Amino acid sequence: MTEPVSPREAGLEVAAHVTGKLPPTLEVVGVRHGAFGALGSGDTSGFGGLVSPIVMPGPTARPYGGWFDDAADELALALPDRGITMEDAVERVTVYRDELTFQVRREHLVAFMATLRDEPALRFEMCMGVSGIHFPDDHGRELHAVYPLLSITHNRRLRVEVTCPDDDARIPSIVSVYPTNDWHERETYDFFGIVFDGHPSLTRIQMPDDWPGHPQRKDYPLGGIPVEYKGAEVPPPDERRAYT
Amino acid sequence: MSTDNVTDVTDEDVVFESGDPYAPSYDTTTGTVFTVSGGDWDSIAPPAEGEKERIVVNMGPQHPSTHGVLRLILELDGETVTEARCGIGYLHTGIEKNMEYRTWTQGVTFVTRMDYLSPFFNETAYCLGVEKLLGVTDQIPERASTIRVMMMELNRISSHLVALATGGMELGALTAMIFGFRERELILDIFEMVSGLRMNSAYVRPGGVAQDITDDQVARIRETLPLLRKRLRDTSDLLVDNAIWMGRTVGVGYLDLAGCMALGVTGPILRSTGLPHDLRKSQPYCGYENYEFEVQTQTTCDAYGRFLIRVGEIQQSLAIVEQALDRLRPGPVMIEDKKIAWPARLSIGSDGQGNSPEHIKEIMTESMEALIHHFKLVTEGFSVPAGQVYSAIESPRGELGAHIVSTGGNRPYRVHYRDPSFTNLQAVAAMSEGSMISDVIAAVASIDPVMGGVDR
């Protein structure tokens, strides 16, 4: 099946149709074909030609609401002390479901995190680890690392998100700022193959040391199940016909 | 081993395959037999000039006092631990990956198996996250939230009881173990009565809970509470002023506030430094703001303080369960929205729990549309709007966070659990380096890691 339009174009098209005007940017991370997600599987539902973009919540403009604006102001004031500006460090800000996300450029991650931790008005003492997300169709931004932060002092939470391309899967380690991320970064390396530069000992933590591949990636091959009938095989879960 | 099929084997016949003198092999009629003979002290090179001998001991993963398949790698100087490292991953089951190929509702069945001592917390963290993504947090019926609180607090008691029981066993207090497991059984009976399963119940579902509790069950729970309270007093009397118990735990496994902050440690370990941080108070969910309870703290930063906190939290949880029972009002236990609410109903029949005959009658004989709806919702499930959320709750071990990502489909795109056991286990080195081997056991027991949650 040929892709009629790129995911981004499809997303913009749909959004324009829905809202009546073209939004500035949209967070399109992929595209879905058909209603059952399987290609070449004899899908007779008639939905095979359906193309729908996968659109994540896009950037939010000011005001963000609540304390989110204060936090952003404090950050904009404090970041220059470390030699960077808010515009340098932050790609976009998203507010979704009452949760604040800063998407930070990876080269400024460590300084950004140190500011969040040390600035008295921010004081995010706790980092709740790092989780990876793999969007194979989001070209140039395939791998996302997501850091939830908690400030016990101010009783606030926010999230920092960093992206990196698959062919240069490197993100600076923040173990020097939050030592708790030692194991968390090892886990994300183990499952997604993101290399955290500067980590004291970046080795696999859950999988055996000699395991090939990174299992949580969407392109990690899943095994099918052989069936004792004319050499048939139950396909792997990601190739089966399924509702999507 | 029977030697019938090993005919006339002498030492000369043994073939050193792959040059390993410690695992020789020889062929028999039923295949190759390997004999692992162990190390030869003569072949170990003496330490270099001026260097002290290093002894590295693997404690675990099969060791009765390491709380499951935890492997501790200890470098020893006599009885003193100079370095301690953890080896984990022996219980990794790929739950997070598996969830990506099941519907949102089926995800509950997976997460409940992560930290197997606190299944209701895993389920609730996940369901709160899914509900947040759906934007239906306000529509969850109050009765469902109250039942969730009640089950979670009972679960906190049972989890802390296991912490006391296994902790006691590891330090040689076998009576504490017998008491702890006996009392836990009372709570597991309640779980079985309410959800049908003692563990891994998949009872909390996106939108509410799987089924209502009956008045009989409420009465049974009320009857159990005084017995629990009395027996828990016995257990705490046994240990609180016990000279041997205090000798083993006071001042052991020290970790102060700065250490907790740096290592991201939460739960009883953080509260043993005097910081009253409890998500039930600071960021209430499921209506915790309506319950009266006190956050337990100690200022000793040691294993004994954590033990006292767990004992205190058990008492507080009993009070919360009583308040929850008082707050139970008749009403639905599943969200109104029929596009999310699980259509199946269960009822208790003469042969046990099963499908509700009324519901089967309706979909099989009365309403074709109800049948279609039931079928679609059970096979396809509901779709969740694209986006990501992080929902955190206070589990018995600390902050249990679920990072849930949806791309708008009927299956999670990515679910990651920030399990408190995983993070807290990083504190083993800080707590036990420089102490005796016996104190490592006490320190690990005071962390109370559950390997199912650590490895997921």
Side-chain angles (χ1 to χ4, degrees):
Chain A
M1 191 183 295
T2 54
E3 201 174 294
V5 287
S6 77
R8 176 162 288 275
E9 284 164 345
L12 290 172
E13 207 173 286
V14 170
H17 182 73
V18 173
T19 62
K21 59 176 191 282
L22 280 177
T25 46
L26 266 183
E27 178 85 14
V28 181
V29 294
V31 65
R32 253 189 216 105
H33 292 282
F36 297 102
L39 295 177
S41 68
D43 185 350
T44 53
S45 64
F47 289 107
L50 206 64
V51 179
S52 47
I54 300 171
V55 187
M56 298 296 275
T60 309
R62 292 256 197 171
Y64 308 136
W67 59 267
F68 295 167
D69 290 289
D70 300 342
D73 292 341
E74 288 294 338
L75 264 172
L77 282 175
L79 280 173
D81 295 347
R82 296 180 192 264
I84 49 174
T85 64
M86 189 78 165
E87 289 70 35
D88 287 341
V90 178
E91 255 177 285
R92 66 185 76 175
V93 182
T94 306
V95 177
Y96 184 68
R97 298 288 186 230
D98 288 333
E99 293 187 358
L100 176 65
T101 308
F102 287 105
Q103 223 170 69
V104 177
R105 292 186 180 85
R106 55 178 167 172
E107 54 269 30
H108 300 303
L109 176 67
V110 178
F112 191 84
M113 287 295 200
T115 310
L116 283 177
R117 185 193 64 179
D118 295 339
E119 202 55 38
L122 298 166
R123 200 67 96 201
F124 285 87
E125 306 99 339
M126 294 272 220
C127 182
M128 293 305 171
V130 54
S131 161
I133 318 174
H134 185 209
F135 291 113
D137 295 333
D138 195 7
H139 299 298
R141 302 154 51 85
E142 285 94 346
L143 292 163
H144 294 220
V146 182
Y147 304 81
L149 299 173
L150 167 68
S151 163
I152 295 178
T153 309
H154 301 293
N155 198 20
R156 293 168 172 176
R157 284 182 191 278
L158 62 74
R159 179 162 46 228
V160 172
E161 190 169 345
V162 184
T163 66
C164 65
D166 202 5
D167 42 15
D168 180 31
R170 288 175 174 280
I171 290 175
S173 165
I174 60 158
V175 172
S176 56
V177 182
Y178 291 110
T180 177
N181 268 37
D182 181 351
W183 282 18
H184 291 279
E185 287 181 1
R186 282 176 65 192
E187 189 185 355
T188 305
Y189 160 73
D190 194 353
F191 287 150
F192 288 90
I194 299 175
V195 176
F196 290 92
D197 284 324
H199 188 284
S201 63
L202 195 67
T203 51
R204 287 184 184 273
I205 188 165
Q206 301 284 13
M207 307 303 286
D209 289 344
D210 54 353
W211 192 266
H214 301 281
Q216 285 278 5
R217 293 169 57 98
K218 292 288 178 182
D219 53 10
Y220 182 80
L222 304 176
I225 303 156
V227 182
E228 297 273 321
Y229 181 72
K230 295 183 191 287
E233 187 178 89
V234 174
D238 52 345
E239 290 169 24
R240 285 177 209 161
R241 180 176 153 156
Y243 302 103
T244 51
Chain B
M1 191 184 73
S2 161
T3 52
D4 294 351
N5 47 17
V6 185
T7 48
D8 305 327
V9 176
T10 62
D11 281 357
E12 289 78 48
D13 294 332
V14 172
V15 184
F16 291 121
E17 278 184 7
S18 70
D20 187 351
Y22 303 119
S25 64
Y26 48 90
D27 291 324
T28 67
T29 49
T30 52
T32 309
V33 170
F34 292 89
T35 315
V36 181
S37 55
D40 184 350
W41 289 102
D42 294 338
S43 66
I44 297 175
E49 196 69 34
E51 188 186 303
K52 276 183 73 179
E53 191 179 13
R54 285 157 40 110
I55 295 179
V56 178
V57 172
N58 275 304
M59 205 162 76
Q62 311 294 342
H63 191 282
S65 63
T66 52
H67 254 80
V69 283
L70 169 63
R71 173 174 161 226
L72 292 168
I73 305 151
L74 306 177
E75 191 183 306
L76 303 177
D77 179 15
E79 276 276 303
T80 308
V81 177
T82 52
E83 266 192 66
R85 295 288 178 273
C86 296
I88 63 169
Y90 295 94
L91 206 54
H92 176 59
T93 43
I95 286 175
E96 290 173 0
K97 181 79 172 177
N98 268 310
M99 290 174 72
E100 293 169 13
Y101 300 99
R102 297 287 184 276
T103 64
W104 290 95
T105 306
Q106 286 171 318
V108 177
T109 319
F110 278 106
V111 297
T112 189
R113 281 158 173 77
M114 288 181 169
D115 181 342
Y116 44 78
L117 290 186
S118 55
F120 290 102
F121 292 92
N122 301 338
E123 295 168 20
T124 309
Y126 172 77
C127 291
L128 289 176
V130 175
E131 286 155 9
K132 202 171 183 184
L133 267 178
L134 284 165
V136 299
T137 308
D138 300 337
Q139 299 168 35
I140 306 305
E142 200 193 326
R143 189 174 170 89
S145 290
T146 311
I147 295 176
R148 283 179 183 181
V149 167
M150 185 194 77
M151 295 303 268
M152 278 195 287
E153 291 307 321
L154 284 170
N155 199 172
R156 190 184 309 277
I157 300 171
S158 75
S159 176
H160 279 346
L161 279 172
V162 174
L164 300 186
T166 55
M169 178 189 70
E170 287 158 12
L171 301 185
L174 290 185
T175 315
M177 179 195 75
I178 300 292
F179 278 16
F181 278 113
R182 183 187 65 184
E183 269 76 280
R184 173 172 178 254
E185 213 53 37
L186 293 173
I187 294 172
L188 293 187
D189 285 345
I190 295 177
F191 289 168
E192 185 179 4
M193 177 179 72
V194 172
S195 72
L197 291 159
R198 283 156 42 94
M199 296 169 79
N200 305 334
S201 23
Y203 177 69
V204 182
R205 302 275 174 87
V209 295
Q211 58 191 313
D212 202 356
I213 58 173
T214 62
D215 292 342
D216 291 350
Q217 291 170 344
V218 172
R220 263 282 300 278
I221 298 169
R222 274 192 201 282
E223 278 168 29
T224 313
L225 291 180
L227 181 62
L228 262 178
R229 187 161 271 147
K230 177 182 164 295
R231 289 202 179 163
L232 292 172
R233 204 177 307 122
D234 291 348
T235 312
S236 56
D237 285 352
L238 191 68
L239 294 173
V240 169
D241 291 323
N242 183 324
I244 302 172
W245 182 256
M246 290 177 77
R248 290 295 306 274
T249 54
V250 171
V252 170
Y254 186 89
L255 189 68
D256 61 8
L257 182 60
C260 284
M261 289 287 174
L263 293 171
V265 171
T266 46
I269 308 173
L270 180 60
R271 289 193 283 275
S272 74
T273 66
L275 184 75
H277 173 65
D278 189 323
L279 293 178
R280 293 178 290 174
K281 281 279 187 213
S282 62
Q283 300 176 356
Y285 47 90
C286 291
Y288 265 112
E289 62 273 23
N290 303 318
Y291 296 85
E292 275 179 32
F293 64 100
E294 282 166 20
V295 178
Q296 300 295 304
T297 56
Q298 295 286 328
T299 51
T300 53
C301 306
D302 63 358
Y304 184 67
R306 288 161 212 151
F307 156 73
L308 289 180
I309 286 175
R310 293 202 173 95
V311 170
E313 284 187 359
I314 289 176
Q315 302 294 342
Q316 296 296 321
S317 292
L318 280 170
I320 298 176
V321 171
E322 274 175 0
Q323 293 173 45
L325 287 173
D326 291 341
R327 289 176 58 87
L328 274 181
R329 299 279 176 275
V333 293
M334 197 32 113
I335 190 169
E336 283 282 310
D337 189 345
K338 290 293 177 203
K339 291 290 173 198
I340 297 171
W342 191 249
R345 300 277 173 275
L346 295 175
S347 69
I348 298 170
S350 55
D351 56 345
Q353 204 173 52
N355 284 321
S356 147
E358 293 79 37
H359 180 66
I360 300 291
K361 181 161 178 283
E362 189 201 350
I363 62 173
M364 297 310 287
T365 64
E366 288 168 15
S367 171
M368 181 69 185
E369 289 72 23
L371 176 66
I372 295 171
H373 176 76
H374 183 133
F375 177 78
K376 284 291 277 181
L377 205 51
V378 172
T379 55
E380 181 181 349
F382 51 83
S383 290
V384 171
Q388 60 177 333
V389 293
Y390 178 81
S391 81
I393 64 171
E394 186 74 29
S395 94
R397 275 161 276 284
E399 171 164 333
L400 176 69
H403 175 233
I404 303 176
V405 184
S406 172
T407 53
N410 67 330
R411 302 187 289 199
Y413 190 76
R414 162 89 170 129
V415 177
H416 174 68
Y417 262 61
R418 186 264 185 210
D419 194 278
S421 297
F422 180 84
T423 312
N424 295 358
L425 207 50
Q426 293 186 88
V428 165
M431 282 186 189
S432 55
E433 283 181 5
S435 69
M436 307 288 277
I437 299 180
S438 56
D439 293 344
V440 176
I441 306 293
V444 171
S446 77
I447 295 175
D448 186 26
V450 175
M451 298 314 287
V454 174
D455 293 342
R456 281 155 286 134

